[in-house]
Short mmCIF file of all heavy atoms in Angstrom, two decimals:
data_model
loop_
_atom_site.label_atom_id
_atom_site.label_comp_id
_atom_site.label_asym_id
_atom_site.label_seq_id
_atom_site.Cartn_x
_atom_site.Cartn_y
_atom_site.Cartn_z
N ILE A 234 0.82 -1.22 0.00
CA ILE A 234 0.00 0.00 0.00
C ILE A 234 0.85 1.26 0.00
O ILE A 234 0.32 2.37 0.10
CB ILE A 234 -0.96 0.03 1.21
CG1 ILE A 234 -0.16 0.07 2.53
CG2 ILE A 234 -1.91 -1.14 1.17
CD1 ILE A 234 -1.02 0.34 3.76
N TYR A 235 2.17 1.11 -0.12
CA TYR A 235 3.06 2.27 -0.02
C TYR A 235 2.67 3.38 -0.98
O TYR A 235 2.57 4.56 -0.59
CB TYR A 235 4.51 1.86 -0.27
CG TYR A 235 5.44 3.04 -0.41
CD1 TYR A 235 5.98 3.67 0.72
CD2 TYR A 235 5.77 3.56 -1.66
CE1 TYR A 235 6.80 4.77 0.60
CE2 TYR A 235 6.59 4.67 -1.79
CZ TYR A 235 7.11 5.27 -0.66
OH TYR A 235 7.92 6.36 -0.80
N THR A 236 2.46 3.06 -2.22
CA THR A 236 2.19 4.09 -3.23
C THR A 236 0.92 4.86 -2.92
O THR A 236 0.89 6.10 -3.02
CB THR A 236 2.09 3.46 -4.63
OG1 THR A 236 3.33 2.83 -4.95
CG2 THR A 236 1.79 4.52 -5.68
N VAL A 237 -0.13 4.14 -2.50
CA VAL A 237 -1.39 4.82 -2.16
C VAL A 237 -1.20 5.72 -0.94
O VAL A 237 -1.68 6.86 -0.92
CB VAL A 237 -2.49 3.78 -1.90
CG1 VAL A 237 -3.78 4.48 -1.46
CG2 VAL A 237 -2.74 2.95 -3.14
N LEU A 238 -0.49 5.24 0.07
CA LEU A 238 -0.22 6.07 1.25
C LEU A 238 0.60 7.30 0.88
O LEU A 238 0.27 8.43 1.26
CB LEU A 238 0.54 5.26 2.30
CG LEU A 238 -0.25 4.37 3.25
CD1 LEU A 238 0.71 3.56 4.11
CD2 LEU A 238 -1.18 5.19 4.12
N ASN A 239 1.65 7.10 0.12
CA ASN A 239 2.56 8.19 -0.22
C ASN A 239 1.88 9.25 -1.08
O ASN A 239 2.14 10.45 -0.94
CB ASN A 239 3.77 7.63 -0.97
CG ASN A 239 4.88 8.64 -1.11
OD1 ASN A 239 5.27 9.28 -0.13
ND2 ASN A 239 5.40 8.78 -2.31
N THR A 240 0.98 8.83 -1.95
CA THR A 240 0.30 9.75 -2.85
C THR A 240 -0.79 10.54 -2.17
O THR A 240 -1.05 11.71 -2.52
CB THR A 240 -0.30 8.98 -4.04
OG1 THR A 240 0.74 8.27 -4.72
CG2 THR A 240 -0.98 9.93 -5.03
N ASN A 241 -1.43 9.94 -1.16
CA ASN A 241 -2.67 10.52 -0.63
C ASN A 241 -2.61 11.03 0.80
O ASN A 241 -3.55 11.71 1.23
CB ASN A 241 -3.79 9.49 -0.74
CG ASN A 241 -4.14 9.15 -2.16
OD1 ASN A 241 -4.78 9.93 -2.85
ND2 ASN A 241 -3.71 7.98 -2.62
N GLN A 242 -1.57 10.74 1.58
CA GLN A 242 -1.61 11.12 2.99
C GLN A 242 -1.68 12.63 3.21
O GLN A 242 -2.20 13.10 4.21
CB GLN A 242 -0.46 10.50 3.77
CG GLN A 242 0.88 11.19 3.65
CD GLN A 242 1.78 10.88 4.84
OE1 GLN A 242 1.31 10.67 5.97
NE2 GLN A 242 3.09 10.82 4.60
N SER A 243 -1.16 13.41 2.26
CA SER A 243 -1.17 14.87 2.42
C SER A 243 -2.55 15.48 2.18
O SER A 243 -2.76 16.67 2.43
CB SER A 243 -0.16 15.50 1.45
OG SER A 243 -0.53 15.26 0.11
N LEU A 244 -3.51 14.68 1.71
CA LEU A 244 -4.84 15.21 1.39
C LEU A 244 -5.70 15.44 2.62
O LEU A 244 -6.70 16.17 2.55
CB LEU A 244 -5.57 14.25 0.44
CG LEU A 244 -4.89 14.00 -0.91
CD1 LEU A 244 -5.72 13.02 -1.74
CD2 LEU A 244 -4.68 15.30 -1.68
N SER A 245 -5.35 14.83 3.74
CA SER A 245 -6.15 14.96 4.96
C SER A 245 -5.31 14.63 6.16
O SER A 245 -4.32 13.89 6.07
CB SER A 245 -7.37 14.02 4.89
OG SER A 245 -8.07 14.01 6.12
N GLY A 246 -5.70 15.16 7.32
CA GLY A 246 -5.01 14.82 8.55
C GLY A 246 -5.41 13.47 9.10
O GLY A 246 -4.82 12.98 10.05
N ILE A 247 -6.44 12.86 8.49
CA ILE A 247 -6.97 11.60 8.97
C ILE A 247 -6.95 10.56 7.87
O ILE A 247 -7.46 10.79 6.77
CB ILE A 247 -8.41 11.76 9.50
CG1 ILE A 247 -8.44 12.80 10.63
CG2 ILE A 247 -8.98 10.43 9.98
CD1 ILE A 247 -9.83 13.11 11.15
N ILE A 248 -6.35 9.41 8.16
CA ILE A 248 -6.34 8.29 7.23
C ILE A 248 -7.23 7.20 7.79
O ILE A 248 -7.07 6.77 8.93
CB ILE A 248 -4.92 7.73 7.03
CG1 ILE A 248 -4.00 8.81 6.45
CG2 ILE A 248 -4.94 6.52 6.10
CD1 ILE A 248 -2.56 8.37 6.30
N TYR A 249 -8.18 6.75 6.99
CA TYR A 249 -9.15 5.75 7.41
C TYR A 249 -8.87 4.41 6.74
O TYR A 249 -8.74 4.32 5.52
CB TYR A 249 -10.57 6.23 7.08
CG TYR A 249 -11.64 5.17 7.25
CD1 TYR A 249 -11.80 4.51 8.46
CD2 TYR A 249 -12.49 4.85 6.20
CE1 TYR A 249 -12.79 3.55 8.62
CE2 TYR A 249 -13.48 3.90 6.34
CZ TYR A 249 -13.62 3.24 7.56
OH TYR A 249 -14.59 2.29 7.71
N PHE A 250 -8.75 3.36 7.56
CA PHE A 250 -8.52 2.00 7.09
C PHE A 250 -9.81 1.20 7.23
O PHE A 250 -10.15 0.76 8.34
CB PHE A 250 -7.42 1.32 7.91
CG PHE A 250 -6.05 1.93 7.74
CD1 PHE A 250 -5.69 3.07 8.44
CD2 PHE A 250 -5.13 1.35 6.88
CE1 PHE A 250 -4.43 3.63 8.28
CE2 PHE A 250 -3.86 1.90 6.72
CZ PHE A 250 -3.52 3.04 7.42
N PRO A 251 -10.57 1.00 6.17
CA PRO A 251 -11.74 0.12 6.26
C PRO A 251 -11.32 -1.31 6.58
O PRO A 251 -10.13 -1.65 6.53
CB PRO A 251 -12.36 0.21 4.84
CG PRO A 251 -11.82 1.48 4.27
CD PRO A 251 -10.44 1.62 4.83
N THR A 252 -12.28 -2.16 6.88
CA THR A 252 -12.00 -3.54 7.22
C THR A 252 -11.13 -4.21 6.15
O THR A 252 -11.37 -4.06 4.96
CB THR A 252 -13.31 -4.32 7.37
OG1 THR A 252 -14.07 -3.75 8.44
CG2 THR A 252 -13.06 -5.78 7.67
N GLY A 253 -10.10 -4.92 6.61
CA GLY A 253 -9.23 -5.63 5.68
C GLY A 253 -7.80 -5.66 6.18
O GLY A 253 -7.48 -5.13 7.25
N THR A 254 -6.92 -6.28 5.41
CA THR A 254 -5.50 -6.36 5.72
C THR A 254 -4.72 -5.54 4.70
O THR A 254 -4.91 -5.70 3.49
CB THR A 254 -5.00 -7.82 5.70
OG1 THR A 254 -5.71 -8.57 6.69
CG2 THR A 254 -3.52 -7.89 6.00
N TYR A 255 -3.84 -4.68 5.20
CA TYR A 255 -3.07 -3.77 4.36
C TYR A 255 -1.60 -4.12 4.47
O TYR A 255 -1.00 -4.00 5.54
CB TYR A 255 -3.32 -2.32 4.78
CG TYR A 255 -4.78 -1.93 4.66
CD1 TYR A 255 -5.68 -2.20 5.69
CD2 TYR A 255 -5.26 -1.33 3.50
CE1 TYR A 255 -7.02 -1.88 5.57
CE2 TYR A 255 -6.60 -0.99 3.38
CZ TYR A 255 -7.48 -1.27 4.42
OH TYR A 255 -8.81 -0.96 4.29
N TYR A 256 -1.02 -4.57 3.37
CA TYR A 256 0.36 -5.04 3.35
C TYR A 256 1.30 -3.88 3.06
O TYR A 256 1.14 -3.17 2.07
CB TYR A 256 0.50 -6.11 2.28
CG TYR A 256 1.88 -6.68 2.10
CD1 TYR A 256 2.56 -7.28 3.17
CD2 TYR A 256 2.50 -6.65 0.86
CE1 TYR A 256 3.82 -7.82 2.99
CE2 TYR A 256 3.76 -7.19 0.67
CZ TYR A 256 4.42 -7.77 1.73
OH TYR A 256 5.67 -8.30 1.57
N LEU A 257 2.28 -3.68 3.95
CA LEU A 257 3.28 -2.63 3.76
C LEU A 257 4.63 -3.29 3.53
O LEU A 257 5.15 -3.97 4.41
CB LEU A 257 3.32 -1.70 4.97
CG LEU A 257 4.25 -0.49 4.86
CD1 LEU A 257 3.80 0.44 3.73
CD2 LEU A 257 4.31 0.28 6.17
N ASN A 258 5.20 -3.06 2.35
CA ASN A 258 6.46 -3.71 1.97
C ASN A 258 7.55 -2.69 1.69
O ASN A 258 8.60 -3.05 1.16
CB ASN A 258 6.24 -4.59 0.74
CG ASN A 258 7.39 -5.54 0.49
OD1 ASN A 258 8.00 -6.05 1.43
ND2 ASN A 258 7.72 -5.77 -0.78
N THR A 259 7.29 -1.42 2.06
CA THR A 259 8.26 -0.35 1.84
C THR A 259 8.25 0.57 3.05
O THR A 259 7.18 0.91 3.55
CB THR A 259 7.90 0.46 0.58
OG1 THR A 259 7.69 -0.44 -0.52
CG2 THR A 259 9.01 1.45 0.23
N ASN A 260 9.42 0.98 3.53
CA ASN A 260 9.47 1.90 4.66
C ASN A 260 8.60 3.12 4.38
O ASN A 260 8.64 3.69 3.28
CB ASN A 260 10.91 2.36 4.90
CG ASN A 260 11.80 1.25 5.40
OD1 ASN A 260 11.34 0.29 6.02
ND2 ASN A 260 13.09 1.37 5.15
N PHE A 261 7.84 3.52 5.40
CA PHE A 261 6.95 4.67 5.21
C PHE A 261 6.91 5.53 6.46
O PHE A 261 6.74 5.01 7.57
CB PHE A 261 5.53 4.23 4.87
CG PHE A 261 4.63 5.36 4.48
CD1 PHE A 261 4.74 5.93 3.22
CD2 PHE A 261 3.72 5.89 5.37
CE1 PHE A 261 3.93 7.00 2.85
CE2 PHE A 261 2.92 6.96 5.02
CZ PHE A 261 3.02 7.52 3.75
N ALA A 262 7.07 6.84 6.28
CA ALA A 262 7.00 7.80 7.38
C ALA A 262 5.69 8.58 7.28
O ALA A 262 5.45 9.29 6.30
CB ALA A 262 8.19 8.75 7.33
N LEU A 263 4.85 8.45 8.30
CA LEU A 263 3.62 9.21 8.36
C LEU A 263 3.92 10.67 8.68
O LEU A 263 4.88 10.98 9.38
CB LEU A 263 2.70 8.65 9.44
CG LEU A 263 2.15 7.24 9.18
CD1 LEU A 263 1.70 6.60 10.48
CD2 LEU A 263 0.99 7.30 8.19
N ASP A 264 3.10 11.57 8.16
CA ASP A 264 3.25 12.98 8.51
C ASP A 264 3.00 13.17 10.00
O ASP A 264 2.20 12.46 10.61
CB ASP A 264 2.25 13.84 7.73
CG ASP A 264 2.58 13.91 6.25
OD1 ASP A 264 3.73 13.62 5.88
OD2 ASP A 264 1.68 14.27 5.46
N THR A 265 3.67 14.16 10.59
CA THR A 265 3.50 14.47 12.01
C THR A 265 2.04 14.79 12.32
O THR A 265 1.35 15.46 11.54
CB THR A 265 4.39 15.66 12.40
OG1 THR A 265 5.75 15.31 12.15
CG2 THR A 265 4.24 16.02 13.86
N ASP A 266 1.57 14.31 13.46
CA ASP A 266 0.22 14.56 13.96
C ASP A 266 -0.87 13.88 13.13
O ASP A 266 -2.04 14.26 13.20
CB ASP A 266 -0.09 16.06 14.04
CG ASP A 266 0.82 16.79 15.00
OD1 ASP A 266 1.13 16.23 16.06
OD2 ASP A 266 1.23 17.93 14.69
N LYS A 267 -0.50 12.88 12.38
CA LYS A 267 -1.50 12.16 11.58
C LYS A 267 -2.40 11.33 12.50
O LYS A 267 -1.97 10.79 13.51
CB LYS A 267 -0.81 11.24 10.58
CG LYS A 267 -1.73 10.63 9.54
CD LYS A 267 -2.28 11.69 8.59
CE LYS A 267 -1.21 12.30 7.71
NZ LYS A 267 -1.75 13.30 6.79
N VAL A 268 -3.69 11.26 12.14
CA VAL A 268 -4.66 10.43 12.86
C VAL A 268 -4.97 9.21 12.00
O VAL A 268 -5.32 9.35 10.83
CB VAL A 268 -5.96 11.20 13.16
CG1 VAL A 268 -6.97 10.28 13.86
CG2 VAL A 268 -5.67 12.43 14.00
N LEU A 269 -4.83 8.02 12.59
CA LEU A 269 -5.16 6.78 11.90
C LEU A 269 -6.42 6.19 12.51
O LEU A 269 -6.47 5.93 13.71
CB LEU A 269 -4.01 5.77 12.01
CG LEU A 269 -2.61 6.22 11.60
CD1 LEU A 269 -1.63 5.07 11.72
CD2 LEU A 269 -2.61 6.78 10.18
N VAL A 270 -7.43 5.97 11.70
CA VAL A 270 -8.70 5.41 12.15
C VAL A 270 -8.85 4.02 11.54
O VAL A 270 -8.84 3.87 10.32
CB VAL A 270 -9.90 6.29 11.74
CG1 VAL A 270 -11.21 5.64 12.18
CG2 VAL A 270 -9.77 7.68 12.34
N PHE A 271 -8.98 3.01 12.40
CA PHE A 271 -9.11 1.63 11.94
C PHE A 271 -10.53 1.14 12.19
O PHE A 271 -11.01 1.18 13.32
CB PHE A 271 -8.13 0.72 12.68
CG PHE A 271 -6.69 0.96 12.33
CD1 PHE A 271 -5.98 1.99 12.94
CD2 PHE A 271 -6.03 0.16 11.42
CE1 PHE A 271 -4.64 2.22 12.63
CE2 PHE A 271 -4.70 0.37 11.11
CZ PHE A 271 -4.00 1.40 11.71
N ASP A 272 -11.18 0.65 11.15
CA ASP A 272 -12.49 0.03 11.34
C ASP A 272 -12.29 -1.39 11.88
O ASP A 272 -11.15 -1.86 12.00
CB ASP A 272 -13.27 0.01 10.03
CG ASP A 272 -14.76 0.18 10.26
OD1 ASP A 272 -15.24 -0.22 11.34
OD2 ASP A 272 -15.45 0.71 9.37
N LYS A 273 -13.36 -2.06 12.21
CA LYS A 273 -13.26 -3.40 12.78
C LYS A 273 -12.52 -4.33 11.82
O LYS A 273 -12.75 -4.31 10.61
CB LYS A 273 -14.65 -3.96 13.08
CG LYS A 273 -15.37 -3.26 14.23
CD LYS A 273 -16.70 -3.92 14.50
CE LYS A 273 -17.42 -3.23 15.66
NZ LYS A 273 -16.68 -3.34 16.93
N ASN A 274 -11.62 -5.13 12.40
CA ASN A 274 -10.86 -6.13 11.64
C ASN A 274 -10.00 -5.51 10.53
O ASN A 274 -9.77 -6.15 9.50
CB ASN A 274 -11.80 -7.18 11.04
CG ASN A 274 -12.56 -7.94 12.10
OD1 ASN A 274 -12.00 -8.38 13.10
ND2 ASN A 274 -13.86 -8.09 11.90
N ALA A 275 -9.54 -4.30 10.77
CA ALA A 275 -8.59 -3.67 9.85
C ALA A 275 -7.20 -3.71 10.48
O ALA A 275 -7.04 -3.43 11.67
CB ALA A 275 -8.99 -2.23 9.57
N LYS A 276 -6.21 -4.11 9.70
CA LYS A 276 -4.85 -4.17 10.24
C LYS A 276 -3.83 -3.92 9.14
O LYS A 276 -4.10 -4.15 7.96
CB LYS A 276 -4.59 -5.51 10.90
CG LYS A 276 -4.51 -6.70 9.96
CD LYS A 276 -4.11 -7.99 10.66
CE LYS A 276 -5.12 -8.44 11.67
NZ LYS A 276 -4.79 -9.77 12.26
N ILE A 277 -2.65 -3.43 9.56
CA ILE A 277 -1.52 -3.25 8.66
C ILE A 277 -0.53 -4.39 8.93
O ILE A 277 -0.08 -4.57 10.06
CB ILE A 277 -0.83 -1.90 8.90
CG1 ILE A 277 -1.82 -0.75 8.74
CG2 ILE A 277 0.33 -1.72 7.91
CD1 ILE A 277 -1.22 0.61 9.11
N LYS A 278 -0.19 -5.12 7.88
CA LYS A 278 0.79 -6.21 8.00
C LYS A 278 2.10 -5.73 7.40
O LYS A 278 2.18 -5.44 6.20
CB LYS A 278 0.30 -7.46 7.28
CG LYS A 278 1.14 -8.69 7.59
CD LYS A 278 0.44 -9.97 7.13
CE LYS A 278 1.17 -11.21 7.64
NZ LYS A 278 0.43 -12.45 7.31
N ILE A 279 3.13 -5.61 8.25
CA ILE A 279 4.39 -4.98 7.86
C ILE A 279 5.44 -6.05 7.62
O ILE A 279 5.70 -6.89 8.48
CB ILE A 279 4.86 -3.99 8.94
CG1 ILE A 279 3.73 -2.98 9.25
CG2 ILE A 279 6.12 -3.26 8.49
CD1 ILE A 279 4.03 -2.06 10.39
N ASN A 280 6.04 -6.02 6.45
CA ASN A 280 6.97 -7.07 6.05
C ASN A 280 8.30 -6.97 6.80
O ASN A 280 8.63 -5.92 7.38
CB ASN A 280 7.23 -7.00 4.54
CG ASN A 280 7.77 -8.31 3.99
OD1 ASN A 280 7.72 -9.35 4.65
ND2 ASN A 280 8.27 -8.28 2.77
N ASN A 281 9.05 -8.05 6.78
CA ASN A 281 10.35 -8.12 7.43
C ASN A 281 11.29 -7.02 6.94
O ASN A 281 11.42 -6.80 5.72
CB ASN A 281 10.99 -9.49 7.17
CG ASN A 281 12.30 -9.67 7.89
OD1 ASN A 281 12.43 -9.32 9.06
ND2 ASN A 281 13.29 -10.21 7.21
#
């Protein structure tokens, strides 16, 4: 999900993760003061 995060995080102070699994395979730095909202059964799976 790196590309989607990198392209869109500046559009809002709040990032919403609907239900599902989100695979992160690239280092990613969130903007300062970002709010992450997770719906039920939503998770980020971060690779080795």
